[in-house]
Structure formats: C-alpha cells, structure tokens
Amino acid sequence: MSIKLYKVLSKNDTGETHSHQSGISIPKAVASSGIFPELTTETLNPRTDITFYDEDNVAWTFQYIYYNDIYFGKSNDKGHNEFRLTCVREYIKKYDIKSGNEIWFSIDDNGIRHIGYVSEKQEAQLLKDDRRVITLSPGWRCIEW
C-alpha cells in the first residue's frame, strides 16, 4: 500500500504573514507516519536534515525539528512539544505555492522521500480510482491506494 500525506498550506506555512515562526507544523500522527524520521525526547530540540525529491527529481533539503523543551523543565504553558519542517520557503517560492494550495509528502519502497504540490487540475484526479482518504488533523489528510 502506498500513501501520500497532503497538507493544505496556511499563510503562516507559506511565509505570507511574515511571522518569525518558520516552517510547517507536523502533527504527531503525521510525524509517526514513516515518512519523517523519528526524533525523540532524549535530547533537547533534536533536528535532522531531511531530503525530498520533487517531481522534476530536484533534491530539496529541509530541517526537521522536534521542539520538545517541556521535557527539559519548561512548563506546559510556556514549553513546546511540536514537530516542524523548516527551510521550506525556497521550495514554496520556486513553485509559487500560496496559502490554500496543498503540498504532499511520500516515501517510496527504497526509502526515497518525495514532495510535490497539487494543482487545481490534479485535485479532481486525487479521489478517483481506488483511493481511501483519511483525515489526520485539521489541514492534513492521507490518501492510500
């Protein structure tokens, strides 16, 4: 079975708000999908480079970070317990992806990660054939086939 994880991008995700917060928030259900590497609570804010190949086979290296300072003495109201994919703005800019558009992530049988975005024409095709859509969290869905 193959899966693709789709994310409807917010203005914060695309940088349209000019916020200091960078990157795409990755919910725990997405973080544990097998597409993203495991990051644990053993070290403070672990991070790793993660490379995805786009539909033109161009490699894009992003930072995948687990902000986890609640496990290192920060109170729940001031601490963090979230995953983020950062350094994505160049990818978003190259393809002129805007808030409301979707990007997708997948991993193939060889462990190669892939990234793409959904055009309006592609959206209609997504739900055809023998595909199952699972909503993971607001803005995220998984399509299996």
Side-chain angles (χ1 to χ4, degrees):
M1 179 179 310
S2 296
I3 65 166
K4 280 187 182 174
L5 300 175
Y6 289 82
K7 164 73 166 107
V8 176
L9 295 173
S10 68
K11 288 184 179 187
N12 198 49
D13 294 332
T14 61
E16 293 172 62
T17 62
H18 306 289
S19 166
H20 74 283
Q21 194 174 33
S22 112
I24 298 171
S25 178
I26 308 291
K28 288 174 183 60
V30 173
S32 64
S33 68
I35 292 174
F36 295 90
E38 183 180 356
L39 298 175
T40 68
T41 59
E42 294 171 8
T43 58
L44 176 63
N45 300 334
R47 66 186 63 219
T48 188
D49 287 341
I50 183 171
T51 300
F52 288 88
Y53 290 85
D54 70 15
E55 294 170 290
D56 295 324
N57 208 31
V58 174
W60 294 88
T61 300
F62 308 126
Q63 279 276 306
Y64 181 55
I65 306 167
Y66 179 23
Y67 291 107
N68 63 4
D69 57 5
I70 65 164
Y71 295 102
F72 292 86
K74 284 267 187 150
S75 62
N76 284 345
D77 61 330
K78 294 186 180 181
H80 300 89
N81 185 19
E82 65 185 29
F83 295 89
R84 283 204 169 270
L85 188 65
T86 65
C87 305
V88 296
R89 286 200 180 153
E90 286 303 311
Y91 174 79
I92 289 169
K93 184 177 177 182
K94 177 181 180 181
Y95 292 107
D96 195 31
I97 301 169
K98 304 289 185 204
S99 60
N101 294 147
E102 284 185 304
I103 61 171
W104 57 261
F105 303 94
S106 68
I107 191 167
D108 66 24
D109 292 337
N110 296 315
I112 307 295
R113 292 177 175 91
H114 301 276
I115 188 172
Y117 65 97
V118 179
S119 70
E120 289 179 25
K121 290 179 185 178
Q122 292 170 315
E123 179 67 24
Q125 183 65 32
L126 284 177
L127 302 178
K128 289 184 178 179
D129 307 323
D130 188 21
R131 298 172 193 247
R132 187 168 71 125
V133 178
I134 302 164
T135 301
L136 299 173
S137 67
W140 282 91
R141 63 188 172 141
C142 173
I143 296 182
E144 297 179 337
W145 67 95

